[in-house]
Amino acid sequence: MHANDVITSLERDVFPHLGAMPLADIDKPLLLSVLRKVEKRGAIETARRIKQRVAAIYRYAFAEFRSNLGASRGHARHNSDHESQIFQ
């Protein structure tokens, strides 16, 4: 049930706006614009949950990126910085 709720909320509210974009291209104002659309329809709790879900996606993606490339190449720091800029 929970997994279905997660994917449904992303399909309904996030993928139409951000689904085709690379994570590195999604900045704080862009994500905020998506969350504001959800809030405007009165779904405040849904917007909060979507923010949590997108943050989890970033954490997973950057963990995978770091494990595949290794922190020694310097990429991990850049991506961690990008992640922290979005979710501060």
Side-chain angles (χ1 to χ4, degrees):
M1 181 87 164
H2 174 71
N4 188 46
D5 291 344
V6 170
I7 195 67
T8 298
S9 69
L10 294 172
E11 287 174 339
R12 181 186 55 232
D13 297 314
V14 178
F15 294 165
H17 307 288
L18 308 177
M21 298 178 71
L23 287 179
D25 292 348
I26 300 171
D27 60 6
K28 192 183 238 181
L30 185 56
L31 179 59
L32 186 59
S33 72
V34 171
L35 296 173
R36 293 289 183 236
K37 289 175 187 176
V38 176
E39 289 175 343
K40 281 185 182 180
R41 66 171 202 254
I44 305 302
E45 181 63 20
T46 299
R48 185 189 66 78
R49 288 182 182 168
I50 288 171
K51 181 181 175 189
Q52 288 178 331
R53 292 166 183 164
V54 172
I57 291 166
Y58 268 89
R59 284 190 301 274
Y60 176 80
F62 291 135
E64 282 295 308
F65 181 76
R66 282 191 292 265
S67 68
N68 289 334
L69 291 180
S72 63
R73 291 188 176 179
H75 297 293
R77 179 176 166 80
H78 169 73
N79 286 321
S80 294
D81 291 346
H82 182 72
E83 179 184 10
S84 67
Q85 290 171 2
I86 292 201
F87 298 106
Q88 288 180 346

